[in-house]
Amino acid sequence: MLWRTTSGQLALVADLRFADDIDGLAGNVCKVASLVEKLDKALSNFGMEISAEKTKIMTNCKETSKKEIKVNGQILERVKKFKYLGSIISDEGSKPEILSKKAQTTAALTKFKPI
């Protein structure tokens, strides 16, 4: 999704929604902070709020930012992996998920009996 910032520049931000889960994607930590702030403001217009206890932040860039992202005055926890729709999403990419699925498939196949 593209949107125009207040300075007139185009910004690319995507969000993935499923039931009450929303995953926000942005190019850097400052954009994530802005996304969280805008989402929090939009939700408050409808009497809803972001749960700081349930909300986590994960980055996959080599440079770690010290910028804290807050919701309702609480700092959001940074994590290295999380489960989304049954899959493990990690800052290492998809290798751990692929290895896990491969092991599950192998375990299921070994239960078959020869015909």
Side-chain angles (χ1 to χ4, degrees), residues 4-15:
R4 194 163 301 279
T5 64
T6 55
S7 63
Q9 297 177 341
L10 283 177
L12 174 64
V13 173
D15 60 77

Side-chain angles (χ1 to χ4, degrees), residues 23-93:
D23 290 337
L25 309 170
N28 61 48
V29 176
C30 291
K31 289 180 182 175
V32 171
S34 175
L35 177 65
V36 170
E37 182 181 315
K38 289 176 183 179
L39 179 61
D40 191 38
K41 185 176 180 178
L43 290 173
S44 69
N45 291 335
F46 296 97
M48 298 183 284
E49 63 181 35
I50 297 174
S51 169
E53 295 81 30
K54 293 180 182 179
T55 304
K56 312 295 182 215
I57 299 292
M58 184 182 77
T59 63
N60 65 350
C61 62
K62 303 269 188 245
E63 303 166 10
T64 56
S65 172
K66 302 293 183 203
K67 181 171 179 59
E68 295 176 339
I69 299 175
K70 295 181 180 182
V71 171
N72 299 324
Q74 294 181 329
I75 298 170
L76 298 181
E77 177 186 357
R78 290 182 182 248
V79 296
K80 295 196 174 282
K81 63 182 178 179
F82 64 95
K83 193 169 196 172
Y84 184 70
L85 299 178
S87 295
I88 302 296
I89 310 297
S90 80
D91 62 354
E92 297 174 357

